[in-house]
Every structure is written in structure tokens, then in C-alpha cells.
Amino acid sequence: MDSTVSMLTNVVGATSDWVRSVFEFQFAKAVIFEVNIGGHLFVEGLLLVVILFLLSQKSYKPPKRPLTKKEIDELCEEWAPEPLIPSITDEMKREPPVLESAAGPHTIVNGKDVVNFTSANYLGLLGSQELLETCTTALEKYGVGSCGPRGFYGTIDVHLDCEARIAKFLGTPDSILYSYGLSTMFSAIPAFCKKGDVVVA
């Protein structure tokens, strides 16, 4: 430990002696055009010369030649891809939480009553008995699938009924029901507008 400290002390002392000698160099106190050139100006000028020298050098550019088939095969053999995810350790293994109730403002997870910050139940209709009965009736009549847009399965009576109710609510002659907001923009706006029109949405 003592030898390491003494070695560091010697290195610092040698560095400070070198810096002091630079500042006391004869050119460090030169006068050029009646301007005193201090030690720091000498060092800065030296650095400027080095920077200009480096900037004037041409950057190395490897030769532009295509790889041979042998080189490509060698690179492919040497390449070892890293795993997309790290290997799972015992600390990383855990049981997922179990949702034991409807996802309302409060819900039960693993037997604990918690506040639900991930709900998309903006209108508070989740868990409504009337809504559950309506959904059950619709499932019994129309069945269920992975999705149900009219573009896939065609227009049915509930689509037309929903459009009529929306038109009545808005006081318009008719309305068009789309399955997704982006499809509305990509379909309705190009159908009714041309170049130069202004759309306020």
C-alpha cells in the first residue's frame, strides 16, 4: 500500500515538474509583436498545431471490394448470435397474478382488494347486469369469433340499427359505422374530399 502511494506521489510530482518546466520554457516568456506569450498560450498553440495536423490527414478508407464466398462463409461460421432474452433464473420465475373479479375501479387480485389503474372501462358499464344480459342474447343469436367487423363478416341488422340510432342522436339523415377510427380516416376522408379541401376533424 505504501509503495503504491509513493509511486502515485512520484508520478504526480513528475507531471507537475513537466508542466512547470513548460511554463518556464524560454519561449513561454517570449514577446511577439509587443504581446507577452504566456506558458498557457504556448501549450494552446502547440495543441492547435497538432489539431490542424490531424485534420489535414486523410481518413483511412478500407478498399472497396466485395467479399469472396470463402470470406462470407468464414464470417458466417464465426458469428454466434446472442440470445434475444437472458436465460431465466429461479429469481425471475414467479406466478402471474390472478384476477378474481370484474375489472372495475376496484378489483380483487390474488385475494387482495386493489385499485385498478389499467381499466378501459371509461363509461362504467363493466359489470352492468343489463349489459351482461344483452351480450348473452347477442352471443346466442350471432355467435362469437376472434373479431367481428362488417368488412369481414358483412353487414348485419345490429350494424344498421346502431347507425340509425347514432343518426337519430346526432340529428343527421344517416350515419356510417366503422370498426376502427383509423379506417374511418382512410376511407371516409378520401371518398368525400379532393386536393385543396380543408378537413376539420
Side-chain angles (χ1 to χ4, degrees):
M1 183 70 180
D2 293 337
S3 60
T4 305
V5 173
S6 62
M7 185 175 68
L8 289 174
T9 305
N10 292 336
V11 170
V12 172
T15 305
S16 60
D17 292 341
W18 179 82
V19 173
R20 190 180 302 109
S21 64
V22 168
F23 278 87
E24 292 174 356
F25 195 63
Q26 57 179 350
F27 290 131
K29 298 179 181 179
V31 177
I32 300 176
F33 299 113
E34 299 181 359
V35 177
N36 292 325
I37 306 299
H40 65 93
L41 290 178
F42 174 75
V43 175
E44 290 169 3
L46 187 61
L47 291 175
L48 182 61
V49 170
V50 172
I51 291 171
L52 292 175
F53 172 76
L54 293 175
L55 290 176
S56 65
Q57 299 298 308
K58 291 183 178 179
S59 60
Y60 171 74
K61 293 182 180 178
K64 293 182 179 179
R65 66 170 182 83
L67 296 174
T68 62
K69 189 175 186 308
K70 182 181 178 183
E71 290 174 335
I72 293 174
D73 292 338
E74 289 176 353
L75 290 174
C76 291
E77 289 175 1
E78 293 173 0
W79 182 63
E82 294 182 1
L84 295 177
I85 57 172
S87 57
I88 298 176
T89 61
D90 292 336
E91 292 80 12
M92 298 169 64
K93 294 179 181 178
R94 57 187 294 268
E95 291 295 326
V98 178
L99 179 65
E100 301 175 1
S101 68
H106 292 261
T107 188
I108 299 175
V109 177
N110 291 343
K112 295 172 65 176
D113 186 24
V114 296
V115 178
N116 185 7
F117 288 103
T118 63
S119 174
N121 183 25
Y122 309 117
L123 301 178
L125 298 176
L126 197 62
S128 167
Q129 193 61 35
E130 182 182 356
L131 188 63
L132 289 174
E133 293 173 0
T134 305
C135 290
T136 303
T137 305
L139 288 175
E140 290 173 351
K141 181 178 180 181
Y142 302 105
V144 66
S146 58
C147 58
R150 65 202 303 183
F152 288 164
Y153 301 116
T155 298
I156 57 178
D157 55 351
V158 288
H159 294 130
L160 299 175
D161 181 55
C162 184
E163 289 177 342
R165 292 187 181 204
I166 292 173
K168 182 180 178 182
F169 176 77
L170 295 176
T172 58
D174 207 344
S175 67
I176 304 175
L177 181 65
Y178 284 89
S179 59
Y180 193 50
L182 286 176
S183 63
T184 309
M185 293 186 294
F186 296 148
S187 177
I189 292 177
F192 296 105
C193 302
K194 62 183 184 301
K195 185 177 180 181
D197 290 347
V198 177
V199 178
V200 181

